[in-house]
Amino acid sequence: MTTYTKLISVAQLADGLSRPGLRVVDCRFDLFEPSRGRRDYVEGHIPTAVYAHLDDDLAAPVTPDSGRHPLPDPASFAATLERLGVSDDSQVVAYDGGPGALAARLWWMLKWLGHESVAVLDGGFAAWRAAGRELERGTPPPPARGSFRPRPRMERVLGTAELAAALDAGRAPTLIDAREAARFRGESEPIDSAAGHVPGALNFPFAQNIGADGRWRTPAELRTAWEALLGDTPLEDWAVMCGSGVTACHLALSADLAGLPGPRLYAGSWSEWIRDPARPRVPAAGAAAG
């Protein structure tokens, strides 16, 4: 039986909905209206799907020192997965409204805990609906509890203290920021309290991974885009980031599809970096943002 570890198409998912061990997870979420994703799920979702809320299920509570979506500890997240019906032998398929930014967060988190059989639905819910596929409505009964044994790969995470020390020592990893270009440049900041980026970071807006049809670009196209950004930059030590460690996971999946070595995730990302005003930023603190 085919195992999916990166992307899965609408047709492939539709053909396998009755597959034993399949767990479909709806990750739709609106940062500015956090209750909307769950409401959209109730109004219509892919059959058999359970719902995972970004704030409640895919992140730990925010602290004074953390970013907006801190990673939960592995044991807590494993318990969440079990509540969602995920077991060690589950084939997980994650989807969101379309581009995969939220679904990729679940994809990365499962890989982080050592679970390889997880894929993102290419085109997400928008592609499923466009194909005229069946929907379920309402809130189904909770699934049977899964049995999940986490095998955390902590080396895949870059912490703020480590990044700050590396910058001070002049040996920072190659850092790729997934935010849109205007936010990266510090020209606008609609979410966080300070604008700009970590010194030395490069910008690869995650939307570049998606084609005009709403689906992922081909591995060859992604590879070309990465090579255009990176040139001959070595990738022995590199990491991806964004505003809060969510859309950065989209870059991690993009790198995987492009055949690049896996980057670390700077989980705290910009919203954690700016918690300490002494940490350097571009533009510098107090400088005009645009």
Side-chain angles (χ1 to χ4, degrees), residues 178-196:
R179 293 174 299 162
E180 62 184 19
R183 287 183 70 196
F184 176 80
R185 292 192 298 262
E187 296 166 0
S188 68
E189 183 45 70
I191 302 170
D192 291 310
S193 61

Side-chain angles (χ1 to χ4, degrees), residues 183-187 194-198 270 280-290:
R183 287 183 70 196
F184 176 80
R185 292 192 298 262
E187 296 166 0
H197 61 265
V198 176
W270 182 247
R281 64 181 79 148
V282 180

Side-chain angles (χ1 to χ4, degrees), residues 77-259:
F77 184 53
T80 295
L81 291 171
E82 290 184 331
R83 177 174 53 78
L84 295 173
V86 177
S87 294
D88 291 335
D89 60 353
S90 295
Q91 168 67 67
V92 180
V93 173
Y95 73 89
D96 53 33
L102 298 156
R105 167 77 169 204
L106 177 57
W107 174 88
W108 185 90
M109 292 177 75
L110 278 161
K111 300 282 187 176
W112 169 55
L113 292 194
H115 190 84
E116 292 298 324
S117 299
V118 53
V120 168
L121 178 62
D122 195 6
F125 188 71
W128 184 268
R129 292 205 66 176
R133 299 292 183 173
E134 179 185 1
L135 298 179
E136 278 185 350
R137 292 175 171 81
T139 303
R145 190 172 187 87
S147 176
F148 187 89
R149 178 174 57 89
R151 294 163 291 162
R153 299 168 177 176
M154 302 308 295
E155 73 279 3
R156 296 192 173 192
V157 180
L158 173 64
T160 294
E162 180 186 355
L163 176 58
L167 276 173
D168 287 345
R171 51 176 177 77
T174 300
L175 193 61
I176 315 297
D177 193 319
R179 293 174 299 162
E180 62 184 19
R183 287 183 70 196
F184 176 80
R185 292 192 298 262
E187 296 166 0
S188 68
E189 183 45 70
I191 302 170
D192 291 310
S193 61
H197 61 265
V198 176
L202 302 174
N203 187 213
F204 190 116
F206 81 92
Q208 293 181 178
N209 292 319
I210 304 299
D213 62 355
R215 290 170 173 79
W216 283 77
R217 295 164 69 186
T218 67
E221 290 172 332
L222 294 172
R223 181 82 182 208
T224 297
W226 279 110
E227 289 176 346
L229 176 70
L230 295 168
D232 58 0
T233 301
L235 296 180
E236 286 83 6
D237 185 13
W238 70 308
V240 291
M241 65 168 291
C242 56
S244 67
V246 177
T247 58
C249 299
H250 208 266
L251 296 192
L253 177 52
S254 172
D256 194 354
L257 289 165

